[in-house]
Structure formats: structure tokens, C-alpha cells
Amino acid sequence: MSIAENLEQIRGRIAAAARRCGRSPDQIALMAVSKTFPASAIREAYAAGQRLFGENRVQEFAAKAGEVGDLEGAEFHLIGHLQSNKSAWAVELFDAVDALDSIRLAKRLDAATAELVDPLPRELRWLSAGALPGAARVRRPYPVLVEVNIAGEEQKSGMAPDSPELLQLLEAAPSLPAIAIRGLMTVPPFTDDPEGARPHFHALRELRERLAARFPGVPLRELSMGMSHDFEVAIAEGSTCVRIGSAIFGARERH
């Protein structure tokens, strides 16, 4: 099947999953995870109406950003681990970072956003691919999601759900005015049975509710959870954004 056909099928499944749990399909964003795929695949998805994309690595996306800089209305989010020393580069390249996993990174993103000025359109900014620091056009406040390692897996990044640093980050949010914490993101342990992810999705939703009650000044509205094999379960548990890669673009090349 083509990328356009895959997108149509996924959108139908999202709508059906939403209706089954009494939600509107409009409450769930579809992010096409284009990591490892070429710019031509992004352009094909864009032609089929897709506007939200996720990438895992700063350098990988920088190599193809110039080829997609003319796609009006397209948004590119960083969903993979970000080293704090690449914060300024990430802010220049991406419309949002959905993998905030430390106070240190939050401070670096806040500082990088605050230092940038506005004059260049995206296509010129991306042609420079970070070569012109301070010349990027970025949204203020810059949107971020907090990545939560909901199952405590050692090989994964993200803040532990019971981490004192997570509470400290939300307490510090008012002192970081250049970024806006919009919600939480997680990648649960993989299981062949999609239902195996349900307890982790449920736990993230409950965590969001507890944190929102404790920190009413931080609008934790978003829950980014669910991938190609388990997104329907994630929708039932309250996901507001599902991240779909292989079900749209096909089998991913291993790096």
C-alpha cells in the first residue's frame, strides 16, 4: 500500500477507536514518525494531507530539513532523546521538543529560545541547518512535553514517575518563561499483545491528573502515547497524540 493509503487507513482506525470510547476523533492528533525515512517520504505524506511529523535525532533531521522547508503548515517535533549541548540546534530545527527529561535540559531549552531572534523564514533557517545561531524563527513560548519513563526501564530515557526531579521541574516552570510544558509523553515496554501496554498508558493518565491538580498553573493537557501496534489502546486510555511510523511508512531501516 502507498503512504497515502496507509494514512487513510490509520485515520479510519483512529476515528473508530475514538468513537468506541466516546471521544471525538478531533481530540487525537496523528504524528507521522518519519525517522530514518527520506525527505521524499515526508513529502509524499504531506501530499496526502499529513502535517505533523516526529523525528528522533537532531543530526538526522538536519540532513533533510532543507528538502522539506517549503512544506507550508508542516510541524516537526523532536521525539527522541536530546543531549543538552544540542539544545540551541534543536530549537532552530524543530517546532517542539516532546522528550524533555531533565531540569538541566529545560533550562538549556529556555535559554536557547530566549536568545533567538525572528527574522528568517523556515526554509532559509533550515538551509543553514544550524549554521546561523540566533537567526531562527521560533514560537514563544517554545512547546515541550515531559518524557516519563513510566515502567522504569534502564535502557530508556525519561523521568521516573515518582522522581523528585519531575516535581522540581514543574515547580520551576514559572521561572522558565521561554518554554511551555504542555503535557507528558511515554514509550511503554513493547509487548506483542497491545493490551500489555494498557496499564502503562493508564498510569501516565493518572500521573497527569495528579500533577495537573498539584500544579494548576502548568497546563498539562497533552498525553503523547501509543504507536503503530498499540495506538488504539492508548486512545482508549486518553491519548491526545499517537505516534505512528511503520504503519504509515513501512518497515524501518535499522541503524
Side-chain angles (χ1 to χ4, degrees):
M1 294 176 67
S2 69
I3 288 175
E5 290 169 328
N6 289 340
L7 277 167
E8 183 178 7
Q9 184 181 81
I10 292 296
R11 290 171 186 144
R13 289 172 62 187
I14 289 172
R19 286 192 293 268
R20 285 196 296 270
C21 58
R23 301 179 65 195
S24 167
D26 294 338
Q27 296 176 320
I28 300 116
L30 169 59
M31 177 182 289
V33 179
S34 48
K35 65 176 184 178
T36 79
F37 293 102
S40 59
I42 295 174
R43 299 189 73 88
E44 188 175 342
Y46 181 89
Q50 183 63 28
R51 294 295 181 268
L52 178 60
F53 297 87
E55 289 278 335
N56 259 41
R57 297 173 181 163
V58 174
Q59 260 179 300
E60 179 193 336
F61 183 61
K64 56 188 175 184
E67 299 178 64
V68 295
D70 62 327
L71 299 182
E72 185 177 353
E75 274 193 35
F76 294 89
H77 291 210
L78 180 66
I79 60 173
H81 175 67
L82 174 62
Q83 295 173 311
S84 59
N85 62 359
K86 294 182 179 177
S87 299
W89 197 7
V91 167
E92 290 189 4
L93 285 170
F94 293 98
D95 295 289
V97 168
D98 292 357
L100 176 62
D101 60 3
S102 70
I103 292 178
R104 181 186 183 206
L105 179 57
K107 291 178 177 179
R108 293 291 290 267
L109 289 170
D110 181 76
T113 303
E115 289 173 1
L116 292 176
V117 293
D118 252 12
L120 284 187
R122 170 187 280 174
E123 57 268 24
L124 296 180
R125 182 211 334 167
W126 282 358
L127 285 173
S128 71
L132 299 175
R137 175 179 59 80
V138 297
R139 285 188 287 173
R140 292 186 180 87
Y142 187 75
V144 299
L145 296 182
V146 178
E147 182 175 7
V148 179
N149 188 343
I150 199 69
E153 296 177 275
E154 290 185 7
Q155 73 275 23
K156 288 182 180 175
S157 56
M159 306 182 83
D162 57 354
S163 165
E165 189 178 12
L166 176 56
L167 301 180
Q168 292 164 10
L169 171 62
L170 297 177
E171 287 171 352
S175 67
L176 302 169
I179 63 173
I181 300 174
R182 300 171 294 123
L184 308 178
M185 183 270 267
T186 198
V187 181
F190 179 84
T191 60
D192 290 326
D193 180 2
E195 284 293 328
R198 187 181 293 274
H200 304 293
F201 295 148
H202 186 78
L204 190 72
R205 185 182 70 185
E206 288 192 330
L207 176 65
R208 192 270 302 268
E209 291 170 356
R210 292 196 303 272
L211 293 175
R214 182 165 178 175
F215 300 97
V218 183
L220 300 173
R221 300 188 182 96
E222 298 191 31
L223 281 179
S224 176
M225 57 188 194
M227 296 183 287
S228 291
H229 65 291
D230 58 15
F231 70 87
E232 286 149 317
V233 175
I235 289 171
E237 290 296 333
S239 177
T240 63
C241 179
V242 294
R243 308 182 304 273
I244 312 296
S246 59
I248 294 174
F249 296 107
R252 180 169 285 117
E253 294 182 11
R254 298 296 178 183
H255 287 260

